[in-house]
C-alpha cells in the first residue's frame, strides 16, 4: 500500500507572470498547463529540465483570489499509488479519515496528524472503474 512515486508539491500563487519568472530564474521550466474556465483556475507544472518525470511543483492560480494570507499558499503533497481504492481502504482501516474519497477512481485526499493535505493519485492517472463504497462517500472536512 506504499506510495510509488512522489509527484508534486502545490503552491497557491497570486501573480503567475512574476512567479513563473521566479522559478525560471531558479532553472525550472514549465512542463504542463491546465486552464479551467468553469472553476476559474489555472495549474502550471514546473520541473527541472531533463528530470521532468521526477518531483514537480504545481502552481495554482485561482483567478478570483487576491490574497491567501499567511499559511494558505502551501497546498499539498502528492503521491502516485498503485491502486487508489486499496490504498484508501488500507488508510481508512488504520483510522485515517479520507477527506476526499476517490469517487472518480483517480484522486483522493487525506491529512497528516498536523493537518497537512496529502493528495493520492492513481498511478499514471489511469482511472479505475468507479466502485462503492467510494462512489457514494461524501467529502469530510477540508483538504
Amino acid at each position: 500500500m506504499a506510495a510509488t512515486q512522489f509527484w508534486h508539491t502545490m503552491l497557491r500563487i497570486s501573480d503567475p507572470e512574476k512567479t513563473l519568472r521566479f522559478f525560471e530564474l531558479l532553472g525550472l521550466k514549465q512542463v504542463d498547463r491546465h486552464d479551467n474556465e468553469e472553476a476559474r483556475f489555472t495549474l502550471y507544472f514546473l520541473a527541472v529540465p531533463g528530470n521532468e518525470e521526477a518531483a514537480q511543483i504545481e502552481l495554482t492560480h485561482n483567478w478570483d483570489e487576491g490574497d491567501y494570507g499567511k499559511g494558505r499558499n502551501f497546498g499539498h503533497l502528492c503521491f502516485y499509488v498503485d491502486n487508489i481504492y486499496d490504498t484508501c481502504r488500507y488508510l481508512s482501516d488504520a483510522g485515517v479519515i479520507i477527506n476526499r474519497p476517490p469517487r472518480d477512481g483517480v484522486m483522493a485526499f487525506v491529512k497528516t496528524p498536523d493537518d497537512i493535505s496529502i493528495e493520492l493519485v492513481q498511478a499514471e492517472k489511469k482511472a479505475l472503474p468507479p466502485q462503492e463504497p467510494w462512489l457514494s462517500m461524501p467529502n469530510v472536512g477540508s483538504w
Side-chain angles (χ1 to χ4, degrees), residues 31-83:
V31 296
D32 204 358
R33 175 183 173 155
H34 300 280
D35 295 302
N36 188 315
E37 294 281 336
E38 183 179 330
R40 302 187 48 75
F41 68 85
T42 301
L43 304 178
Y44 304 89
F45 289 88
L46 310 177
V48 174
N51 204 10
E52 290 83 0
E53 299 303 314
Q56 297 180 358
I57 295 175
E58 173 190 334
L59 302 175
T60 298
H61 178 234
N62 295 297
W63 301 348
D64 301 319
E65 181 65 46
D67 181 20
Y68 292 107
K70 298 270 186 208
R72 283 288 300 144
N73 298 80
F74 179 80
H76 59 261
L77 301 176
C78 181
F79 294 91
Y80 282 122
V81 296
D82 284 330
N83 184 299

Side-chain angles (χ1 to χ4, degrees), residues 10 12 20 39 51 57 63 101 105 124 137 139:
M10 186 270 270
R12 293 180 182 90
L20 288 168
N51 204 10
I57 295 175
W63 301 348
E124 300 177 21
M137 288 179 81
N139 294 336

Side-chain angles (χ1 to χ4, degrees), residues 15-30:
D15 188 327
E17 185 177 320
K18 286 182 181 177
T19 305
L20 288 168
R21 183 175 184 284
F22 170 81
F23 281 106
E24 287 169 4
L25 290 170
L26 290 177
L28 280 72
K29 72 173 188 173
Q30 183 175 321

Side-chain angles (χ1 to χ4, degrees), residues 4-5 7 53 79-83 105-106 121-127:
T4 60
Q5 178 185 346
W7 180 17
E53 299 303 314
F79 294 91
Y80 282 122
V81 296
D82 284 330
N83 184 299
V106 176
V121 175
Q122 176 62 39
E124 300 177 21
K125 296 186 256 183
K126 292 183 180 177

